[in-house]
Amino acid sequence: PEVDMLEEGEASLSVRQPCAAGAVLRQEDLAVVVTRPRGLSPMLREAVIGCALRYPIAPGEPLTFGHLYNGTKA
């Protein structure tokens, strides 16, 4: 069950495919994965959409505030 998976990590936002530095995140780019260490909560999905990446990120890697900057949002 899903609860057993969470005992080994935390639900975090990640990406579905590799994204380069400077890419602007879209709804379809984001995925929820179980990771250790913990990344951004899936509850922050809407806040992350439209933000640009400072660094590249690979699928399965937890997305953190360090990856993001407000490159396109006013």
Side-chain angles (χ1 to χ4, degrees):
E2 290 179 29
V3 174
D4 292 339
M5 286 178 26
L6 289 176
E7 287 179 12
E8 306 215 358
E10 299 283 339
S12 301
L13 285 175
S14 185
V15 292
R16 296 184 187 278
Q17 60 191 16
C19 294
V24 176
L25 293 172
R26 303 167 300 162
Q27 169 93 19
E28 57 268 23
D29 295 324
L30 299 173
V32 176
V33 296
V34 176
T35 62
R36 185 171 244 150
R38 177 171 35 177
L40 294 176
S41 167
M43 292 174 45
L44 294 172
R45 179 186 298 261
E46 293 301 318
V48 167
I49 294 169
C51 288
L53 292 170
R54 280 194 177 122
Y55 310 104
I57 185 171
E61 181 180 346
L63 189 62
T64 68
F65 284 118
H67 284 99
L68 305 176
Y69 70 94
N70 237 7
T72 61
K73 287 188 173 182

